């Protein structure tokens, strides 16, 4: 086995030219198999090890930093074009308007995200040293650039390395301590350390230490899950409505009444919920302009019920200017409007166009078929919910962002409320990846998650990421459940990414100090 691994290592280190770039793309694609829905975490770790071996070869060539940037870009391109292949699906909802953009999206989207892995690889190569120092340096650079990916230009922290552990809830429990970025740092360190096994004289100490660390994380998470019983909030009975309306049928004029009646029928079935949750943009009409819809909401909430729904909101300024928001409404008993929340983290090109006038001249419009760009809210917020504890509402992909799902200046909520329409993310991988990220937010914050999705996956998840109830993908129905209780604030909820930054500094400082010595 040692000889076989050594030959593989020699082969990867010796690659050059287009074969080297192709190998980096394939390594990134192999790495992406660790994410949902496949969740093959050994593939993720081996893909990371391959990246180190390719960079080892670049270190022995002229202009190693340029080679490292190319290798890193190829790895990132393979990762994102494989792991986020669903990104093409939104452009097929209205193919006449948007399908022509698919070839550009197929290259520019993964290619743009791959610049972060190119930066990480080039920065690591700048101080590359043989042996274990290169592993720590690369892990620190890679994790730092993943953090940047989640923040630069509004950020897109989709498929962070931490989510490669979706098959192991016990390991995900550790995000309550240092968050998804902290687990991502340790994950890439583990994967990179495996490169030490692919030499003629394998070095076992670092891979063994990394494996022991993750064994400890698994044991600790297993104990945490076994010793923390599920508890529920007294007097709260939820009903999540999943209408399963395809995106291209939602606003078709002849189907509007059918779509609305489906929401009402699913909300009024057998059972006695006191809080009903509809998904993002569930009503096929603008509620502010539909007295008939508001009358039916008043009837639905008449028996001391609360209805929470997504809908667009219109705001007219004193000068007559109109602004639209992607919003969440809370209707108390009798249809009384108890509060609204406006989405603050909007999707570029989906809900608004940056440099709007320029792109419109180029024939590019936003994906959501609504006039103009949405305006952003000022969230997050803690919102009062009649009949239930206060909640932190989050619309669609707002749930992706670690340490940005709860308002730090407001009272701590009792639960996370995520309404979404994952039909935009395709019928397979995208919704499952989105759900996993939401599940990690519940663990990080120690708060239960209630998630209503148009086409699924709707779910109630407790404060440790355990699924209490779930309604699967592409199914129409309603899901009744009790509301799990919140845990005391976790270390991550109190300190955010502080421990991640401490680990990041240590990961960079130790090999540099060793090099000087």
């Amino acid at each position: 086995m040692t000889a076989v691994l050594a030959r593989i290592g020699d082969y990867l280190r010796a690659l050059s030219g287009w074969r080297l770039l192709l190998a980096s793309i394939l390594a990134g694609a192999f790495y992406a198999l660790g994410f949902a829905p496949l969740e093959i975490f050994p593939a993720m770790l081996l893909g990371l090890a391959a990246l180190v071996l390719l960079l080892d070869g670049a270190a022995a060539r002229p202009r190693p930093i340029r080679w490292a940037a190319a290798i890193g870009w190829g790895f990132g391109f393979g990762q994102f074009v494989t792991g986020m292949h669903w990104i093409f699906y939104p452009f097929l909802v209205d193919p006449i308007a948007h399908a022509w953009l698919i070839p550009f999206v197929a290259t520019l989207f993964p290619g743009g995200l791959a610049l972060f892995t190119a930066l990480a690889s080039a920065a690591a190569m700048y101080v590359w040293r043989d042996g274990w120092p290169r592993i720590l340096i690369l892990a620190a650079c890679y994790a730092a650039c993943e953090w940047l990916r989640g923040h630069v230009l509004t950020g897109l922290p989709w498929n962070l390395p931490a989510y490669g552990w979706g098959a192991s809830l016990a390991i995900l429990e550790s995000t309550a301590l240092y968050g998804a970025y902290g687990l991502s740092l340790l994950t890439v360190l583990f994967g990179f350390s495996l490169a030490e096994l692919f030499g003629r004289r394998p070095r076992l100490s670092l891979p063994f230490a990394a494996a022991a660390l993750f064994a400890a994380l698994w044991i600790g998470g297993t104990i945490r899950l076994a010793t923390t019983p599920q508890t529920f909030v007294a007097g709260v009975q939820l009903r999540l409505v999943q209408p399963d309306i395809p995106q291209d049928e939602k606003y078709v004029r002849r189907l509007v009444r059918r779509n609305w009646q489906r929401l009402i029928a699913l909300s009024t079935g057998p059972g006695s919920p006191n809080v009903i949750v509809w998904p993002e943009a569930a009503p096929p009409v603008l509620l502010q302009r539909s007295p008939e819809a508001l009358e039916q909401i008043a009837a639905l909430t008449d028996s001391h019920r609360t209805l929470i729904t997504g809908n667009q909101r219109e705001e007219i300024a004193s000068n007559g200017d109109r602004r639209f928001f992607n919003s969440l409404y809370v209707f108390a008993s009798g249809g009384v409007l108890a509060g609204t929340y406006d989405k603050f983290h909007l999707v570029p090109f989906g809900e608004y166009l940056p440099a709007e006038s320029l792109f419109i001249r180029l024939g590019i419009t936003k994906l959501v078929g609504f006039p103009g760009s949405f305006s952003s809210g000022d969230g997050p917020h803690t919102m009062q919910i009649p009949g239930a504890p206060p909640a932190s509402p989050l619309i669609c992909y707002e749930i992706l962002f670690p340490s940005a799902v709860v308002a730090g200046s407001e009272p701590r909520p009792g639960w996370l409320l995520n309404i979404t329409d994952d039909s935009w993310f395709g019928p397979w991988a995208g919704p499952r990846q989105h759900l996993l990220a939401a599940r990690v937010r519940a663990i990080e914050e120690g708060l239960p998650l209630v998630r209503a999705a148009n086409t699924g996956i709707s779910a109630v998840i407790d404060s440790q990421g355990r699924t209490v109830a779930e309604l699967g993908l592409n199914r129409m129905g309603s899901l009744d459940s009790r509301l799990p209780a919140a845990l005391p604030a976790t270390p991550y909820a109190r300190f955010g990414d502080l421990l991640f930054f401490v680990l990041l500094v240590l990961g960079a400082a130790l090999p540099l100090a060793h090099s000087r010595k």
Side-chain angles (χ1 to χ4, degrees):
M1 177 60 72
T2 300
V4 172
L5 295 179
R7 283 197 294 270
I8 294 173
D10 289 343
Y11 175 79
L12 292 176
R13 284 187 286 263
L15 290 173
S16 62
W18 67 267
R19 292 181 177 83
L20 176 58
L21 182 60
L22 178 60
S24 67
I25 293 173
L26 293 176
F30 194 64
Y31 162 82
L33 300 181
F35 299 117
L38 298 180
E39 297 180 341
I40 308 172
F41 71 86
M44 172 186 66
L45 298 176
L46 291 173
L48 291 168
L51 176 60
V52 176
L53 297 173
L54 295 172
L55 290 172
D56 280 338
R61 295 188 177 89
R63 298 179 177 177
I65 295 177
R66 292 187 183 182
W67 278 109
I71 292 167
W73 183 88
F75 184 88
F77 184 84
Q79 171 196 341
F80 294 115
V81 82
T82 303
M84 298 183 68
H85 61 275
W86 53 263
I87 198 65
F88 313 133
Y89 194 83
F91 296 86
L92 297 174
V93 172
D94 185 359
I96 295 176
H98 300 123
W100 67 275
L101 290 168
I102 289 178
F104 300 97
V105 175
T107 53
L108 295 178
F109 178 77
L113 292 178
L115 293 175
F116 290 99
T117 48
L119 175 62
S121 299
M125 185 58 64
Y126 186 75
V127 289
W128 198 259
R129 298 290 185 273
D130 190 25
W132 66 265
R134 80 194 195 288
I135 302 296
L136 268 66
I137 282 287
L138 182 58
C141 291
Y142 197 103
C145 287
E146 287 292 84
W147 186 90
L148 289 174
R149 178 163 68 90
H151 291 80
V152 172
L153 299 177
T154 77
L156 184 62
W158 196 285
N159 280 357
L160 295 173
Y163 303 146
W165 298 105
S168 175
L169 179 58
I171 288 179
L172 291 178
E173 290 299 298
S174 65
T175 57
L177 179 61
Y178 41 51
Y181 290 117
L183 181 56
S184 293
L185 171 59
L186 297 181
T187 298
V188 296
L189 177 61
F190 188 7
F192 293 154
S193 73
L194 298 183
E196 299 284 80
L197 303 177
F198 289 81
R200 296 192 176 277
R201 293 182 178 179
R203 291 170 283 202
L204 304 179
S205 56
L206 189 57
F208 180 82
L213 171 62
F214 273 86
L217 293 179
W218 182 82
I219 292 170
T222 300
I223 293 172
R224 186 172 189 257
L225 290 167
T227 57
T228 308
Q230 283 186 340
T231 58
F232 297 88
V233 179
V236 180
Q237 187 67 32
L238 302 166
R239 171 164 294 171
L240 312 185
V241 171
Q242 184 169 300
D244 192 32
I245 299 171
Q247 192 60 229
D248 57 359
E249 295 182 8
K250 182 176 288 189
Y251 301 110
V252 176
R253 185 177 295 274
R254 62 183 174 81
L255 299 177
V256 164
R257 182 167 295 277
R258 181 208 71 175
N259 296 344
W260 174 256
Q261 290 175 343
R262 183 178 296 183
L263 289 169
I264 296 297
L266 292 172
S267 301
T268 55
S272 55
N274 70 314
V275 177
I276 301 170
V277 185
W278 290 357
E280 175 188 18
V285 296
L286 193 67
L287 292 177
Q288 289 171 291
R289 299 182 185 176
S290 181
E292 180 184 353
L294 291 175
E295 288 177 5
Q296 292 188 57
I297 287 175
L300 176 65
T301 58
D302 187 46
S303 302
H304 302 287
R305 288 177 172 173
T306 296
L307 172 67
I308 302 170
T309 182
N311 193 231
Q312 296 80 18
R313 188 176 73 84
E314 180 184 25
E315 187 177 274
I316 304 177
S318 57
N319 62 359
D321 290 343
R322 298 174 183 270
R323 295 200 301 163
F324 290 94
F325 298 85
N326 186 358
S327 300
L328 175 146
Y329 285 77
V330 178
F331 293 98
S333 178
V336 175
L337 183 61
T340 60
Y341 164 83
D342 300 320
K343 186 177 182 182
F344 71 95
H345 216 134
L346 300 176
V347 180
F349 298 97
E351 294 168 315
Y352 76 97
L353 283 178
E356 185 171 9
S357 59
L358 171 62
F359 283 110
I360 288 177
R361 284 199 297 271
L362 294 173
I364 299 174
T365 58
K366 63 184 179 64
L367 295 174
V368 176
F370 207 78
S373 292
F374 283 113
S375 298
S376 62
D378 59 354
H381 287 294
T382 298
M383 196 172 190
Q384 299 300 316
I385 307 295
S392 180
L394 300 155
I395 299 176
C396 193
Y397 94 143
E398 287 183 321
I399 197 72
L400 287 180
F401 298 87
S403 75
V405 296
V406 171
S409 59
E410 299 180 15
R412 176 173 161 83
W415 48 304
L416 302 175
L417 170 60
N418 182 213
I419 59 171
T420 184
D421 185 354
D422 283 7
S423 63
W424 289 105
F425 301 150
W428 188 52
R432 290 179 171 86
Q433 293 170 359
H434 197 197
L435 174 63
L436 178 58
R439 193 179 186 189
V440 174
R441 296 295 84 75
I443 301 170
E444 288 174 341
E445 300 292 337
L447 294 173
L449 169 71
V450 174
R451 186 175 194 268
N454 171 30
T455 56
I457 303 167
S458 299
V460 176
I461 294 169
D462 77 1
S463 305
Q464 292 182 270
R466 294 175 291 204
T467 301
V468 176
E470 182 177 287
L471 187 56
L473 196 58
N474 302 318
R475 290 178 56 193
M476 180 179 66
S478 60
L479 182 67
D480 288 4
S481 172
R482 293 183 291 170
L483 175 64
L487 293 175
T490 63
Y492 186 78
R494 294 196 297 268
F495 304 113
D497 289 321
L498 178 60
L499 183 54
F500 162 68
F501 289 125
V502 171
L503 293 172
L504 203 62
V505 170
L506 287 174
L510 286 175
L512 292 177
H514 178 269
S515 297
R516 290 193 183 95
K517 182 178 178 181

